[in-house]
């Protein structure tokens, strides 16, 4: 019998003893393995060393070393416009990380409002919708500004739209953070129906803004990845052109610490953001913008480059998924989604055991993303979600770390069942 929930107490005790023996073998190895963040591995970083080969600094008559070109150099704006499917005029090129773009935009809304609206800091309460499980950095930004976060459950094709439609009747709900393609951590891509439902929203707050964090817009693992409907093609149908601020970056394409980011938005939003940028900076790193354009060439160059990443990532994802299926597949104690792209695998373990799994993994030398981090305020109401980040460890280390994780999931489940 494999289903833990159908085992007798005696069978569970025997299973626990067997698991403890396996766990001790791993613990005695004195390991130090890290699956905590979605960092590219060394092999992936090596793919982009050609970025450093381009010495040009005069492009289209522009001396890239000097001040100016606040919006980003034209060739880089076109590259990202082609990638995201929007006109280059609706693109702003930012610093090395889209996280900075998101933080700065929320700060702008907080201090100066949205396109002339009341600054959020002057309002009694500001709330944001957060599809869960979700990206911990989104939650950190909102918590920094004391914006109240409201959980919205994710379904197989995107966030629960019926819940969202009810919540946005409250004028204090000012926006939503989301990762629409290969969501962090579940790897879900929003269906066309969900994208259309989002584009058609009629929030009570006129300054409602959706931060469309398209971090994994081209991060496929398989040749046939998911397709995400371009929300900017749909928004005009509902008069909602201004409702979405989209961001992305090259962080997981080239060098996370030395890439470039981009923001896509309507004419009104671009003008509003540029008023702030004119006070904030003279220009971002134009030489780095040109390096990326020269390295990629065009969107097809980005696609070819990302296929190389996929060749490295695919075996890692498949190894993790194989272990999960072999160790946990028939025990009725865990569930997961097989993503076709992105950077994470979301594992739901038996309710009430995720923190214990984290403790056991740490005891055996495996560092996971902090349990609870995929929910606002670090509180997973069911204490069940674990985010697995397969990218950083070499494949041999990943193999060992996943085995330890699977043993820990089983051990935590047996302990809970024996205590009931």
């Amino acid at each position: 019998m494999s289903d833990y929930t159908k085992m007798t107490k005696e069978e569970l005790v025997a299973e626990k003893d067997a698991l403890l023996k396996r766990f001790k073998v791993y613990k005695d190895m004195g390991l130090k393995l890290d699956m905590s963040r979605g960092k590219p591995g060394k092999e992936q970083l090596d793919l982009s060393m050609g970025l450093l080969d381009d010495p040009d600094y005069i492009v289209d008559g522009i001396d890239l070393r000097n001040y100016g070109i606040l919006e980003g150099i034209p060739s880089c704006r076109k590259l990202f416009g082609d990638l995201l499917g929007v006109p280059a005029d609706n693109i702003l090129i930012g610093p090395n990380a889209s996280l900075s773009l998101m933080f700065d935009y929320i700060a702008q809304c907080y201090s100066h409002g949205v396109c002339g609206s009341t600054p959020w800091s002057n309002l009694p309460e500001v709330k944001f919708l957060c599809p869960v499980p979700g990206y911990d950095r989104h939650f950190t930004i909102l918590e920094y500004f004391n914006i109240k976060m409201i959980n919205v459950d994710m379904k197989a094709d995107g966030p629960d739209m019926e819940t969202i439609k009810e919540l946005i009747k409250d004028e204090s709900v000012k926006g939503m953070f989301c990762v629409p393609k290969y969501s962090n951590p579940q790897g879900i891509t929003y269906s066309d129906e969900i994208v259309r439902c989002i584009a058609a929203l009629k929030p009570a707050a006129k300054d409602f803004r959706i931060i469309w964090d398209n971090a994994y817009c081209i991060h496929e693992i398989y040749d046939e990845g998911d397709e995400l409907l371009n929300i900017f093609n749909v928004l005009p149908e509902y008069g909602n052109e201004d409702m979405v601020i989209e961001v992305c970056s090259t962080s997981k394409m080239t060098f996370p610490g030395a890439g470039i980011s981009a923001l896509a938005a309507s004419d009104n939003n671009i003008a509003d953001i540029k008023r702030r940028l004119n006070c904030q900076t003279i220009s971002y790193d134009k030489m780095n913008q040109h390096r990326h354009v020269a390295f990629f060439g065009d969107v097809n160059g980005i696609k070819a480059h990302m296929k190389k990443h996929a060749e490295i990532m695919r075996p890692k994802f498949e190894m993790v998924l194989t272990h999960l299926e072999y160790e946990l597949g028939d025990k009725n104690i865990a569930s997961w989604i097989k993503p076709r792209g992105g950077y994470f695998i979301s594992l739901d373990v038996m309710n009430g055991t995720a923190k214990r799994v984290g403790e056991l993994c740490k005891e055996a030398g495996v560092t996971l993303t902090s349990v609870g981090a995929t929910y606002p305020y670090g509180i997973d109401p069911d204490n069940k979600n674990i985010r697995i980040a397969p990218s950083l460890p070499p494949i041999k280390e990943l193999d060992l770390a996943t085995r330890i994780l699977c043993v820990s999931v089983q051990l935590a489940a047996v302990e809970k069942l024996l205590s009931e």
Side-chain angles (χ1 to χ4, degrees), residues 143-202:
E143 193 165 4
Y144 182 84
F145 288 100
N146 198 31
I147 294 172
K148 183 178 180 180
M149 294 176 271
I150 303 174
N151 292 2
V152 175
D153 288 337
M154 283 285 287
K155 295 187 173 183
D157 60 349
D160 183 342
M161 293 308 302
E162 293 308 311
T163 297
I164 288 174
K165 288 175 185 177
E166 284 300 313
L167 290 170
I168 62 171
K169 293 177 181 178
D170 178 355
E171 194 174 356
S172 68
V173 174
K174 297 297 184 181
M176 176 172 73
F177 266 112
C178 61
V179 181
K181 185 172 182 181
Y182 302 133
S183 66
N184 180 351
Q186 290 172 301
I188 293 170
T189 297
Y190 294 4
S191 68
D192 290 0
E193 181 182 1
I194 292 294
V195 173
R196 288 189 175 279
C197 282
I198 291 172
L201 289 174
K202 296 298 179 185

Side-chain angles (χ1 to χ4, degrees), residues 101-120:
L101 293 176
M102 292 186 283
F103 182 94
D104 287 348
Y105 185 71
I106 296 298
Q108 175 179 328
C109 297
Y110 191 80
S111 63
H112 284 72
V114 178
C115 295
S117 73
T118 302
W120 292 355

Side-chain angles (χ1 to χ4, degrees), residues 84-343:
L84 299 178
V86 300
D89 287 346
N90 294 102
I91 294 285
L92 295 176
I93 304 300
N96 72 309
S98 54
L99 183 64
S100 297
L101 293 176
M102 292 186 283
F103 182 94
D104 287 348
Y105 185 71
I106 296 298
Q108 175 179 328
C109 297
Y110 191 80
S111 63
H112 284 72
V114 178
C115 295
S117 73
T118 302
W120 292 355
S121 59
N122 293 347
L123 299 174
E125 186 173 49
V126 175
K127 302 170 187 172
F128 246 63
L129 308 182
C130 300
V132 292
Y135 180 31
D136 55 327
R137 296 284 188 172
H138 292 162
F139 309 148
T140 302
I141 292 172
L142 295 173
E143 193 165 4
Y144 182 84
F145 288 100
N146 198 31
I147 294 172
K148 183 178 180 180
M149 294 176 271
I150 303 174
N151 292 2
V152 175
D153 288 337
M154 283 285 287
K155 295 187 173 183
D157 60 349
D160 183 342
M161 293 308 302
E162 293 308 311
T163 297
I164 288 174
K165 288 175 185 177
E166 284 300 313
L167 290 170
I168 62 171
K169 293 177 181 178
D170 178 355
E171 194 174 356
S172 68
V173 174
K174 297 297 184 181
M176 176 172 73
F177 266 112
C178 61
V179 181
K181 185 172 182 181
Y182 302 133
S183 66
N184 180 351
Q186 290 172 301
I188 293 170
T189 297
Y190 294 4
S191 68
D192 290 0
E193 181 182 1
I194 292 294
V195 173
R196 288 189 175 279
C197 282
I198 291 172
L201 289 174
K202 296 298 179 185
K206 302 305 179 187
D207 51 353
F208 183 90
R209 288 296 182 270
I210 296 169
I211 311 299
W212 198 252
D213 185 0
N214 207 354
Y216 310 111
C217 58
I218 197 165
H219 295 65
E220 327 295 349
I221 295 173
Y222 297 95
D223 288 340
E224 292 187 9
D226 295 344
E227 291 291 333
L228 175 70
L229 181 63
N230 186 345
I231 195 166
F232 285 108
N233 291 341
V234 186
L235 290 167
E237 297 177 21
Y238 304 97
N240 279 336
E241 293 91 334
D242 296 337
M243 193 169 66
V244 172
I245 306 292
E246 181 174 16
V247 298
C248 71
S249 77
T250 65
S251 287
K252 291 180 173 67
M253 298 180 195
T254 57
F255 303 134
I260 49 176
S261 59
L263 181 149
S266 67
D267 292 342
N268 288 336
N269 283 318
I270 292 290
D272 196 37
I273 292 167
K274 281 179 66 177
R275 280 190 284 273
R276 182 251 303 167
L277 281 179
N278 273 309
C279 302
Q280 182 176 352
T281 186
I282 305 299
S283 64
Y284 290 113
D285 188 344
K286 297 186 294 296
M287 294 186 72
N288 199 23
Q289 293 170 26
H290 172 63
R291 277 194 291 269
H292 279 75
V293 173
F295 181 67
F296 288 130
D298 56 21
V299 169
N300 288 328
I302 296 178
K303 290 178 180 178
H305 181 73
M306 295 309 293
K307 283 184 178 292
K308 297 175 185 177
H309 278 271
E311 291 298 318
I312 296 169
M313 291 284 279
R314 191 183 310 117
K316 293 185 174 185
F317 270 70
E318 290 183 345
M319 172 183 284
V320 172
L321 292 164
T322 297
H323 281 310
L324 293 180
E325 184 60 40
Y326 178 77
E327 293 271 6
L328 309 175
D330 58 355
K331 293 184 170 63
N332 199 22
I333 58 171
S335 62
W336 56 92
I337 297 170
K338 181 181 179 181
R340 300 194 63 78
Y343 253 68

